[in-house]
mmCIF file of all heavy atoms in Angstrom:
data_model
loop_
_atom_site.group_PDB
_atom_site.id
_atom_site.type_symbol
_atom_site.label_atom_id
_atom_site.label_comp_id
_atom_site.label_asym_id
_atom_site.label_seq_id
_atom_site.Cartn_x
_atom_site.Cartn_y
_atom_site.Cartn_z
ATOM 1 N N SER A 1 0.796 -1.148 -0.015
ATOM 2 C CA SER A 1 0.034 -0.037 -0.057
ATOM 3 C C SER A 1 0.875 1.238 0.024
ATOM 4 O O SER A 1 1.703 1.430 0.891
ATOM 5 C CB SER A 1 -0.931 0.065 1.253
ATOM 6 O OG SER A 1 -1.599 1.273 1.344
ATOM 7 N N PRO A 2 0.674 2.175 -0.974
ATOM 8 C CA PRO A 2 1.574 3.331 -1.004
ATOM 9 C C PRO A 2 1.039 4.458 -0.103
ATOM 10 O O PRO A 2 1.156 5.698 -0.452
ATOM 11 C CB PRO A 2 1.483 3.746 -2.505
ATOM 12 C CG PRO A 2 0.067 3.290 -2.870
ATOM 13 C CD PRO A 2 -0.247 2.073 -2.071
ATOM 14 N N ALA A 3 0.487 4.140 1.027
ATOM 15 C CA ALA A 3 -0.196 5.171 1.887
ATOM 16 C C ALA A 3 0.477 5.014 3.307
ATOM 17 O O ALA A 3 0.715 3.978 3.845
ATOM 18 C CB ALA A 3 -1.618 5.046 2.027
ATOM 19 N N LEU A 4 0.734 6.183 3.921
ATOM 20 C CA LEU A 4 1.187 6.224 5.264
ATOM 21 C C LEU A 4 0.171 7.072 5.968
ATOM 22 O O LEU A 4 -0.259 8.130 5.582
ATOM 23 C CB LEU A 4 2.560 7.144 5.222
ATOM 24 C CG LEU A 4 3.276 7.261 6.472
ATOM 25 C CD1 LEU A 4 3.867 6.002 6.987
ATOM 26 C CD2 LEU A 4 4.453 8.324 6.391
ATOM 27 N N SER A 5 -0.319 6.546 7.177
ATOM 28 C CA SER A 5 -1.412 7.223 7.876
ATOM 29 C C SER A 5 -0.896 7.481 9.331
ATOM 30 O O SER A 5 -0.198 6.792 9.974
ATOM 31 C CB SER A 5 -2.672 6.440 7.925
ATOM 32 O OG SER A 5 -2.483 5.201 8.660
ATOM 33 N N GLU A 6 -1.358 8.675 9.792
ATOM 34 C CA GLU A 6 -1.149 9.106 11.155
ATOM 35 C C GLU A 6 -2.426 9.766 11.615
ATOM 36 O O GLU A 6 -2.673 10.869 11.205
ATOM 37 C CB GLU A 6 0.078 10.037 11.287
ATOM 38 C CG GLU A 6 0.367 10.428 12.707
ATOM 39 C CD GLU A 6 1.596 11.309 12.809
ATOM 40 O OE1 GLU A 6 2.234 11.679 11.729
ATOM 41 O OE2 GLU A 6 1.968 11.738 13.892
ATOM 42 N N GLY A 7 -3.162 9.117 12.496
ATOM 43 C CA GLY A 7 -4.409 9.600 12.860
ATOM 44 C C GLY A 7 -5.350 9.676 11.636
ATOM 45 O O GLY A 7 -5.653 8.734 10.969
ATOM 46 N N GLU A 8 -5.916 10.891 11.344
ATOM 47 C CA GLU A 8 -6.789 11.001 10.137
ATOM 48 C C GLU A 8 -6.049 11.427 8.982
ATOM 49 O O GLU A 8 -6.708 11.792 7.976
ATOM 50 C CB GLU A 8 -8.011 11.978 10.553
ATOM 51 C CG GLU A 8 -8.907 11.477 11.682
ATOM 52 C CD GLU A 8 -9.925 12.467 11.949
ATOM 53 O OE1 GLU A 8 -9.993 13.492 11.433
ATOM 54 O OE2 GLU A 8 -10.837 12.018 12.815
ATOM 55 N N GLU A 9 -4.738 11.720 9.204
ATOM 56 C CA GLU A 9 -3.981 12.280 8.033
ATOM 57 C C GLU A 9 -3.319 11.115 7.210
ATOM 58 O O GLU A 9 -2.763 10.187 7.790
ATOM 59 C CB GLU A 9 -2.893 13.252 8.538
ATOM 60 C CG GLU A 9 -3.422 14.457 9.183
ATOM 61 C CD GLU A 9 -2.386 15.420 9.638
ATOM 62 O OE1 GLU A 9 -1.232 15.178 9.300
ATOM 63 O OE2 GLU A 9 -2.767 16.468 10.200
ATOM 64 N N PHE A 10 -3.388 11.248 5.838
ATOM 65 C CA PHE A 10 -2.726 10.315 4.960
ATOM 66 C C PHE A 10 -1.724 10.868 4.086
ATOM 67 O O PHE A 10 -1.942 11.976 3.569
ATOM 68 C CB PHE A 10 -3.842 9.583 4.083
ATOM 69 C CG PHE A 10 -4.751 8.655 4.872
ATOM 70 C CD1 PHE A 10 -5.738 9.183 5.597
ATOM 71 C CD2 PHE A 10 -4.439 7.248 4.938
ATOM 72 C CE1 PHE A 10 -6.659 8.334 6.277
ATOM 73 C CE2 PHE A 10 -5.297 6.424 5.604
ATOM 74 C CZ PHE A 10 -6.408 6.896 6.301
ATOM 75 N N THR A 11 -0.596 10.207 3.825
ATOM 76 C CA THR A 11 0.411 10.724 3.018
ATOM 77 C C THR A 11 0.739 9.684 1.928
ATOM 78 O O THR A 11 0.854 8.371 2.242
ATOM 79 C CB THR A 11 1.773 11.030 3.763
ATOM 80 O OG1 THR A 11 1.510 11.914 4.801
ATOM 81 C CG2 THR A 11 2.861 11.495 2.869
ATOM 82 N N ARG A 12 0.859 10.063 0.708
ATOM 83 C CA ARG A 12 1.047 9.094 -0.373
ATOM 84 C C ARG A 12 2.605 8.923 -0.544
ATOM 85 O O ARG A 12 3.327 9.883 -0.608
ATOM 86 C CB ARG A 12 0.452 9.537 -1.734
ATOM 87 C CG ARG A 12 0.593 8.489 -2.776
ATOM 88 C CD ARG A 12 -0.235 8.786 -4.042
ATOM 89 N NE ARG A 12 -0.087 7.905 -5.067
ATOM 90 C CZ ARG A 12 -0.914 6.763 -5.079
ATOM 91 N NH1 ARG A 12 -1.818 6.635 -4.122
ATOM 92 N NH2 ARG A 12 -0.788 5.850 -6.031
ATOM 93 N N LEU A 13 3.066 7.630 -0.552
ATOM 94 C CA LEU A 13 4.394 7.315 -0.666
ATOM 95 C C LEU A 13 4.813 7.140 -2.074
ATOM 96 O O LEU A 13 4.006 6.996 -3.006
ATOM 97 C CB LEU A 13 4.727 5.997 0.121
ATOM 98 C CG LEU A 13 4.488 6.070 1.608
ATOM 99 C CD1 LEU A 13 4.600 4.629 2.189
ATOM 100 C CD2 LEU A 13 5.424 7.093 2.283
ATOM 101 N N SER A 14 6.182 7.257 -2.383
ATOM 102 C CA SER A 14 6.667 7.188 -3.763
ATOM 103 C C SER A 14 6.484 5.746 -4.269
ATOM 104 O O SER A 14 6.314 5.480 -5.496
ATOM 105 C CB SER A 14 8.155 7.537 -3.771
ATOM 106 O OG SER A 14 8.835 6.698 -2.868
ATOM 107 N N GLN A 15 6.411 4.729 -3.387
ATOM 108 C CA GLN A 15 6.133 3.434 -3.743
ATOM 109 C C GLN A 15 5.681 2.566 -2.530
ATOM 110 O O GLN A 15 6.055 2.997 -1.364
ATOM 111 C CB GLN A 15 7.314 2.699 -4.503
ATOM 112 C CG GLN A 15 8.567 2.636 -3.559
ATOM 113 C CD GLN A 15 9.606 1.773 -4.285
ATOM 114 O OE1 GLN A 15 9.431 0.723 -4.842
ATOM 115 N NE2 GLN A 15 10.847 2.312 -4.161
ATOM 116 N N PRO A 16 4.992 1.470 -2.657
ATOM 117 C CA PRO A 16 4.608 0.705 -1.481
ATOM 118 C C PRO A 16 5.717 0.059 -0.816
ATOM 119 O O PRO A 16 6.744 -0.438 -1.422
ATOM 120 C CB PRO A 16 3.583 -0.282 -2.109
ATOM 121 C CG PRO A 16 3.262 0.124 -3.497
ATOM 122 C CD PRO A 16 4.545 0.908 -3.935
ATOM 123 N N PRO A 17 5.712 -0.029 0.587
ATOM 124 C CA PRO A 17 6.661 -0.945 1.265
ATOM 125 C C PRO A 17 6.446 -2.400 0.776
ATOM 126 O O PRO A 17 5.395 -2.703 0.206
ATOM 127 C CB PRO A 17 6.293 -0.761 2.746
ATOM 128 C CG PRO A 17 5.526 0.563 2.773
ATOM 129 C CD PRO A 17 4.850 0.646 1.437
ATOM 130 N N ALA A 18 7.405 -3.222 1.137
ATOM 131 C CA ALA A 18 7.364 -4.679 0.677
ATOM 132 C C ALA A 18 7.952 -5.529 1.836
ATOM 133 O O ALA A 18 8.856 -5.193 2.562
ATOM 134 C CB ALA A 18 8.175 -4.829 -0.555
ATOM 135 N N ASP A 19 7.249 -6.659 1.972
ATOM 136 C CA ASP A 19 7.726 -7.726 2.899
ATOM 137 C C ASP A 19 8.895 -8.462 2.198
ATOM 138 O O ASP A 19 8.777 -8.998 1.002
ATOM 139 C CB ASP A 19 6.630 -8.683 3.209
ATOM 140 C CG ASP A 19 5.725 -8.208 4.400
ATOM 141 O OD1 ASP A 19 6.414 -7.628 5.339
ATOM 142 O OD2 ASP A 19 4.547 -8.411 4.363
ATOM 143 N N THR A 20 10.074 -8.572 2.869
ATOM 144 C CA THR A 20 11.167 -9.327 2.415
ATOM 145 C C THR A 20 11.650 -10.334 3.404
ATOM 146 O O THR A 20 11.145 -10.454 4.435
ATOM 147 C CB THR A 20 12.274 -8.399 1.999
ATOM 148 O OG1 THR A 20 12.964 -7.890 3.163
ATOM 149 C CG2 THR A 20 11.828 -7.096 1.249
ATOM 150 N N VAL A 21 12.769 -11.086 2.968
ATOM 151 C CA VAL A 21 13.202 -12.129 3.882
ATOM 152 C C VAL A 21 13.859 -11.460 5.079
ATOM 153 O O VAL A 21 14.166 -12.034 6.143
ATOM 154 C CB VAL A 21 14.261 -13.024 3.121
ATOM 155 C CG1 VAL A 21 13.549 -13.870 2.077
ATOM 156 C CG2 VAL A 21 15.310 -12.212 2.396
ATOM 157 N N LEU A 22 14.185 -10.060 4.871
ATOM 158 C CA LEU A 22 14.862 -9.401 6.026
ATOM 159 C C LEU A 22 13.882 -8.550 6.810
ATOM 160 O O LEU A 22 14.326 -7.686 7.573
ATOM 161 C CB LEU A 22 15.970 -8.513 5.453
ATOM 162 C CG LEU A 22 17.088 -9.225 4.646
ATOM 163 C CD1 LEU A 22 18.029 -8.275 4.074
ATOM 164 C CD2 LEU A 22 17.802 -10.189 5.656
ATOM 165 N N GLY A 23 12.552 -8.637 6.490
ATOM 166 C CA GLY A 23 11.560 -8.005 7.175
ATOM 167 C C GLY A 23 11.003 -6.855 6.258
ATOM 168 O O GLY A 23 11.222 -6.912 5.062
ATOM 169 N N ILE A 24 10.240 -5.947 6.812
ATOM 170 C CA ILE A 24 9.596 -4.892 6.071
ATOM 171 C C ILE A 24 10.568 -3.982 5.460
ATOM 172 O O ILE A 24 11.557 -3.455 6.200
ATOM 173 C CB ILE A 24 8.506 -4.193 6.838
ATOM 174 C CG1 ILE A 24 7.707 -3.288 6.016
ATOM 175 C CG2 ILE A 24 9.106 -3.468 8.036
ATOM 176 C CD1 ILE A 24 6.770 -3.930 5.051
ATOM 177 N N ALA A 25 10.573 -3.673 4.110
ATOM 178 C CA ALA A 25 11.466 -2.680 3.577
ATOM 179 C C ALA A 25 10.570 -1.586 3.009
ATOM 180 O O ALA A 25 9.529 -1.781 2.467
ATOM 181 C CB ALA A 25 12.190 -3.339 2.432
ATOM 182 N N VAL A 26 11.083 -0.302 3.228
ATOM 183 C CA VAL A 26 10.390 0.921 2.945
ATOM 184 C C VAL A 26 11.114 1.826 2.092
ATOM 185 O O VAL A 26 12.313 1.904 1.991
ATOM 186 C CB VAL A 26 9.968 1.631 4.269
ATOM 187 C CG1 VAL A 26 9.155 0.722 5.170
ATOM 188 C CG2 VAL A 26 11.252 2.098 4.987
ATOM 189 N N PRO A 27 10.310 2.797 1.324
ATOM 190 C CA PRO A 27 10.929 3.725 0.495
ATOM 191 C C PRO A 27 11.629 4.881 1.345
ATOM 192 O O PRO A 27 11.345 5.042 2.463
ATOM 193 C CB PRO A 27 9.829 4.293 -0.435
ATOM 194 C CG PRO A 27 8.623 4.148 0.467
ATOM 195 C CD PRO A 27 8.878 2.842 1.180
ATOM 196 N N LEU A 28 12.467 5.616 0.598
ATOM 197 C CA LEU A 28 13.195 6.646 1.318
ATOM 198 C C LEU A 28 12.295 7.762 1.898
ATOM 199 O O LEU A 28 12.517 8.305 3.017
ATOM 200 C CB LEU A 28 14.187 7.398 0.336
ATOM 201 C CG LEU A 28 14.996 8.512 0.783
ATOM 202 C CD1 LEU A 28 16.003 8.045 1.892
ATOM 203 C CD2 LEU A 28 15.755 9.134 -0.338
ATOM 204 N N ASP A 29 11.200 8.054 1.211
ATOM 205 C CA ASP A 29 10.377 9.175 1.790
ATOM 206 C C ASP A 29 9.672 8.790 3.085
ATOM 207 O O ASP A 29 9.344 9.635 3.913
ATOM 208 C CB ASP A 29 9.371 9.670 0.708
ATOM 209 C CG ASP A 29 8.557 8.552 0.029
ATOM 210 O OD1 ASP A 29 9.093 7.358 0.056
ATOM 211 O OD2 ASP A 29 7.521 8.839 -0.513
ATOM 212 N N LEU A 30 9.368 7.486 3.250
ATOM 213 C CA LEU A 30 8.794 7.098 4.476
ATOM 214 C C LEU A 30 9.866 7.271 5.604
ATOM 215 O O LEU A 30 9.490 7.768 6.704
ATOM 216 C CB LEU A 30 8.389 5.591 4.451
ATOM 217 C CG LEU A 30 7.772 5.052 5.684
ATOM 218 C CD1 LEU A 30 6.620 4.015 5.305
ATOM 219 C CD2 LEU A 30 8.657 4.439 6.757
ATOM 220 N N LEU A 31 11.127 6.897 5.368
ATOM 221 C CA LEU A 31 12.175 7.156 6.381
ATOM 222 C C LEU A 31 12.310 8.680 6.750
ATOM 223 O O LEU A 31 12.367 9.023 7.900
ATOM 224 C CB LEU A 31 13.488 6.606 5.859
ATOM 225 C CG LEU A 31 13.607 5.131 5.520
ATOM 226 C CD1 LEU A 31 15.014 4.835 5.072
ATOM 227 C CD2 LEU A 31 13.379 4.363 6.977
ATOM 228 N N GLN A 32 12.250 9.459 5.774
ATOM 229 C CA GLN A 32 12.419 10.901 5.968
ATOM 230 C C GLN A 32 11.247 11.520 6.689
ATOM 231 O O GLN A 32 11.490 12.299 7.569
ATOM 232 C CB GLN A 32 12.600 11.596 4.569
ATOM 233 C CG GLN A 32 13.942 11.256 3.919
ATOM 234 C CD GLN A 32 14.017 11.839 2.465
ATOM 235 O OE1 GLN A 32 12.956 11.919 1.817
ATOM 236 N NE2 GLN A 32 15.171 12.048 2.015
ATOM 237 N N ASP A 33 10.077 10.926 6.485
ATOM 238 C CA ASP A 33 8.838 11.614 7.146
ATOM 239 C C ASP A 33 8.730 10.991 8.547
ATOM 240 O O ASP A 33 8.140 11.744 9.425
ATOM 241 C CB ASP A 33 7.577 11.121 6.360
ATOM 242 C CG ASP A 33 6.352 11.839 6.882
ATOM 243 O OD1 ASP A 33 6.226 13.081 6.771
ATOM 244 O OD2 ASP A 33 5.496 11.119 7.532
ATOM 245 N N THR A 34 9.316 9.852 8.876
ATOM 246 C CA THR A 34 9.053 9.269 10.189
ATOM 247 C C THR A 34 10.376 9.439 11.034
ATOM 248 O O THR A 34 10.447 10.388 11.914
ATOM 249 C CB THR A 34 8.671 7.751 10.011
ATOM 250 O OG1 THR A 34 9.621 7.068 9.257
ATOM 251 C CG2 THR A 34 7.327 7.603 9.465
ATOM 252 N N LEU A 35 11.348 8.650 10.829
ATOM 253 C CA LEU A 35 12.581 8.717 11.595
ATOM 254 C C LEU A 35 13.244 10.013 11.436
ATOM 255 O O LEU A 35 13.785 10.667 12.433
ATOM 256 C CB LEU A 35 13.536 7.574 11.228
ATOM 257 C CG LEU A 35 13.031 6.144 11.408
ATOM 258 C CD1 LEU A 35 14.023 5.180 10.843
ATOM 259 C CD2 LEU A 35 12.647 5.891 12.820
ATOM 260 N N GLY A 36 13.202 10.588 10.188
ATOM 261 C CA GLY A 36 13.871 11.823 10.018
ATOM 262 C C GLY A 36 13.211 12.996 10.698
ATOM 263 O O GLY A 36 13.812 13.688 11.548
ATOM 264 N N ARG A 37 11.905 13.192 10.496
ATOM 265 C CA ARG A 37 11.141 14.271 10.968
ATOM 266 C C ARG A 37 11.016 14.224 12.542
ATOM 267 O O ARG A 37 11.141 15.200 13.270
ATOM 268 C CB ARG A 37 9.938 14.366 10.304
ATOM 269 C CG ARG A 37 9.027 15.610 10.649
ATOM 270 C CD ARG A 37 7.717 15.609 10.002
ATOM 271 N NE ARG A 37 6.603 15.746 10.844
ATOM 272 C CZ ARG A 37 5.423 15.460 10.543
ATOM 273 N NH1 ARG A 37 5.105 14.923 9.334
ATOM 274 N NH2 ARG A 37 4.335 15.599 11.425
ATOM 275 N N SER A 38 10.655 12.934 13.011
ATOM 276 C CA SER A 38 10.456 12.884 14.453
ATOM 277 C C SER A 38 11.713 12.821 15.303
ATOM 278 O O SER A 38 11.652 13.393 16.391
ATOM 279 C CB SER A 38 9.658 11.524 14.723
ATOM 280 O OG SER A 38 8.396 11.636 14.097
ATOM 281 N N LEU A 39 12.735 12.217 14.873
ATOM 282 C CA LEU A 39 13.950 11.974 15.688
ATOM 283 C C LEU A 39 15.058 13.036 15.398
ATOM 284 O O LEU A 39 16.169 12.999 16.017
ATOM 285 C CB LEU A 39 14.484 10.530 15.536
ATOM 286 C CG LEU A 39 13.460 9.419 15.881
ATOM 287 C CD1 LEU A 39 14.071 8.068 15.724
ATOM 288 C CD2 LEU A 39 12.880 9.685 17.335
ATOM 289 N N GLY A 40 14.786 13.852 14.407
ATOM 290 C CA GLY A 40 15.747 14.869 14.077
ATOM 291 C C GLY A 40 16.973 14.421 13.311
ATOM 292 O O GLY A 40 18.091 14.938 13.481
ATOM 293 N N TYR A 41 16.768 13.623 12.294
ATOM 294 C CA TYR A 41 17.818 13.058 11.465
ATOM 295 C C TYR A 41 17.624 13.613 10.035
ATOM 296 O O TYR A 41 16.519 13.669 9.508
ATOM 297 C CB TYR A 41 17.913 11.557 11.465
ATOM 298 C CG TYR A 41 18.394 10.999 12.678
ATOM 299 C CD1 TYR A 41 17.636 10.497 13.638
ATOM 300 C CD2 TYR A 41 19.760 10.880 12.943
ATOM 301 C CE1 TYR A 41 18.117 9.854 14.783
ATOM 302 C CE2 TYR A 41 20.352 10.392 14.152
ATOM 303 C CZ TYR A 41 19.431 9.881 15.085
ATOM 304 O OH TYR A 41 19.909 9.328 16.229
ATOM 305 N N GLU A 42 18.704 13.866 9.270
ATOM 306 C CA GLU A 42 18.757 14.121 7.890
ATOM 307 C C GLU A 42 19.002 12.891 7.191
ATOM 308 O O GLU A 42 20.148 12.334 7.336
ATOM 309 C CB GLU A 42 19.690 15.194 7.583
ATOM 310 C CG GLU A 42 19.587 15.733 6.178
ATOM 311 C CD GLU A 42 20.445 16.982 5.907
ATOM 312 O OE1 GLU A 42 21.211 17.337 6.787
ATOM 313 O OE2 GLU A 42 20.341 17.530 4.833
ATOM 314 N N ILE A 43 18.123 12.339 6.400
ATOM 315 C CA ILE A 43 18.304 11.018 5.663
ATOM 316 C C ILE A 43 18.418 11.273 4.228
ATOM 317 O O ILE A 43 17.592 11.861 3.608
ATOM 318 C CB ILE A 43 17.160 10.149 6.075
ATOM 319 C CG1 ILE A 43 17.128 9.927 7.534
ATOM 320 C CG2 ILE A 43 17.317 8.786 5.418
ATOM 321 C CD1 ILE A 43 15.900 9.059 7.974
ATOM 322 N N GLU A 44 19.558 10.785 3.711
ATOM 323 C CA GLU A 44 19.846 10.901 2.235
ATOM 324 C C GLU A 44 20.402 9.642 1.653
ATOM 325 O O GLU A 44 21.173 8.913 2.196
ATOM 326 C CB GLU A 44 20.896 12.096 2.081
ATOM 327 C CG GLU A 44 21.379 12.308 0.685
ATOM 328 C CD GLU A 44 22.622 13.271 0.656
ATOM 329 O OE1 GLU A 44 23.186 13.493 1.630
ATOM 330 O OE2 GLU A 44 22.932 13.707 -0.483
ATOM 331 N N TRP A 45 19.863 9.399 0.346
ATOM 332 C CA TRP A 45 20.445 8.245 -0.370
ATOM 333 C C TRP A 45 21.300 8.677 -1.427
ATOM 334 O O TRP A 45 20.883 9.478 -2.341
ATOM 335 C CB TRP A 45 19.153 7.415 -0.823
ATOM 336 C CG TRP A 45 19.606 6.354 -1.968
ATOM 337 C CD1 TRP A 45 19.236 6.330 -3.248
ATOM 338 C CD2 TRP A 45 20.349 5.190 -1.637
ATOM 339 N NE1 TRP A 45 19.803 5.102 -3.862
ATOM 340 C CE2 TRP A 45 20.471 4.491 -2.838
ATOM 341 C CE3 TRP A 45 21.027 4.674 -0.525
ATOM 342 C CZ2 TRP A 45 21.153 3.287 -2.966
ATOM 343 C CZ3 TRP A 45 21.597 3.498 -0.601
ATOM 344 C CH2 TRP A 45 21.750 2.749 -1.826
#
């Protein structure tokens, strides 16, 4: 699903996350919106 939700707010992701043998894998914009914005990190690929 290319959607990220927080409460009643929805954000469209660049591509859907995927289940892999190493666990859930996510696109860069999800990292930037969550770990980056909340924990104060600048995340760059």
Side-chain angles (χ1 to χ4, degrees):
S1 171
L4 181 74
S5 66
E6 182 176 1
E8 296 180 355
E9 297 184 2
F10 289 83
T11 302
R12 186 171 183 84
L13 300 171
S14 58
Q15 62 175 315
D19 275 322
T20 73
V21 293
L22 300 177
I24 189 71
V26 300
L28 180 65
D29 50 341
L30 185 147
L31 297 177
Q32 293 170 331
D33 187 72
T34 56
L35 300 175
R37 187 177 124 199
S38 294
L39 303 180
Y41 288 99
E42 186 173 9
I43 301 179
E44 176 188 12
W45 170 243

